[in-house]
């Protein structure tokens, strides 16, 4: 894929949340978005619709780090680096909260052309000073029509 060329993709996003003493909860949804490669990093952009809110999400990732950025009714910046604790933030109409992430595992499996692939991220999340749980984000994308 040429640098900075945006192509339409179909996304399957699966989030699994495990909180202490609880059964894992899995959320799965499909979306359409765009894929771009810039300076060796993959950028996937899509819009999440939750009830009456629309949140534009950008997932940037490479082999050793990733970042989730959300804009719209909520704003969030969540960085991920393998082997390091990272600080981010979540902001809504009620104020801003600090987020801390600790990556347990991160994998990226692109196709030869990089127009499709799979991204896997397992991490621990702390919101403020409270342990929010262990999360797994699995994102599969394939070139599609928009």
């Amino acid at each position: 894929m040429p640098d900075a060329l945006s192509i339409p993709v179909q996304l399957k996003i699966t989030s699994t949340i495990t909180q202490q003493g609880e059964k894992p909860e899995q959320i799965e949804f499909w979306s359409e978005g765009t894929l771009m490669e810039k300076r060796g990093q993959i950028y996937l952009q899509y819009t999440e619709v939750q009830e009456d809110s629309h949140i534009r999400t950008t997932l940037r990732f490479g082999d050793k780090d990733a970042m989730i950025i959300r804009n719209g009714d909520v704003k969030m910046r969540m960085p991920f680096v393998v082997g390091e604790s990272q600080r981010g933030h979540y902001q809504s109409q009620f104020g801003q909260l600090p987020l801390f992430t600790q990556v347990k595992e991160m994998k990226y499996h692109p196709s030869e052309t990089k127009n499709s692939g799979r991204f896997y991220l397992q991490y621990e999340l702390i919101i403020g000073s409270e342990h929010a749980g262990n999360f797994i984000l699995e994102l599969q994308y394939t070139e599609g029509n928009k």
Side-chain angles (χ1 to χ4, degrees):
M1 175 177 24
D3 221 26
L5 176 66
S6 179
I7 62 168
V9 290
Q10 300 292 317
L11 301 162
K12 178 183 176 188
I13 302 154
T14 306
S15 292
T16 305
I17 304 162
T18 306
Q19 295 175 321
Q20 195 165 358
E22 301 286 325
K23 285 185 174 180
E25 179 184 346
Q26 192 170 72
I27 301 163
E28 187 175 274
F29 71 96
W30 289 261
S31 185
E32 293 180 344
T34 58
L35 169 72
M36 183 171 49
E37 184 175 10
K38 222 165 141 178
R39 295 185 293 279
Q41 298 275 300
I42 297 294
Y43 290 76
L44 284 168
Q45 296 180 315
Y46 57 95
T47 299
E48 291 181 55
V49 179
Q50 298 175 357
E51 296 174 13
D52 292 336
S53 66
H54 289 71
I55 303 165
R56 290 181 320 283
T57 301
T58 300
L59 172 61
R60 176 193 55 79
F61 58 89
D63 292 326
K64 298 196 183 332
D65 69 326
M67 173 88 65
I68 297 173
I69 301 167
R70 291 191 168 128
N71 287 297
D73 294 327
V74 300
K75 295 183 187 317
M76 184 184 78
R77 181 181 176 278
M78 195 176 330
F80 304 94
V81 176
V82 175
E84 293 180 20
S85 179
Q86 294 290 301
R87 181 187 170 109
H89 67 271
Y90 176 90
Q91 184 175 342
S92 72
Q93 64 190 21
F94 305 109
Q96 184 169 305
L97 293 169
L99 304 175
F100 297 91
T101 60
Q102 179 70 47
V103 174
K104 296 177 186 272
E105 187 176 2
M106 185 167 20
K107 298 180 201 168
Y108 168 47
H109 300 285
S111 67
E112 259 185 53
T113 63
K114 295 188 182 175
N115 290 355
S116 64
R118 179 176 175 264
F119 177 73
Y120 175 90
L121 177 65
Q122 182 179 3
Y123 64 97
E124 181 180 349
L125 178 64
I126 296 169
I127 301 174
S129 60
E130 298 292 318
H131 184 268
N134 293 303
F135 290 72
I136 296 173
L137 173 67
E138 294 179 85
L139 194 138
Q140 296 177 33
Y141 61 94
T142 56
E143 187 171 0
N145 299 325
K146 201 157 189 193

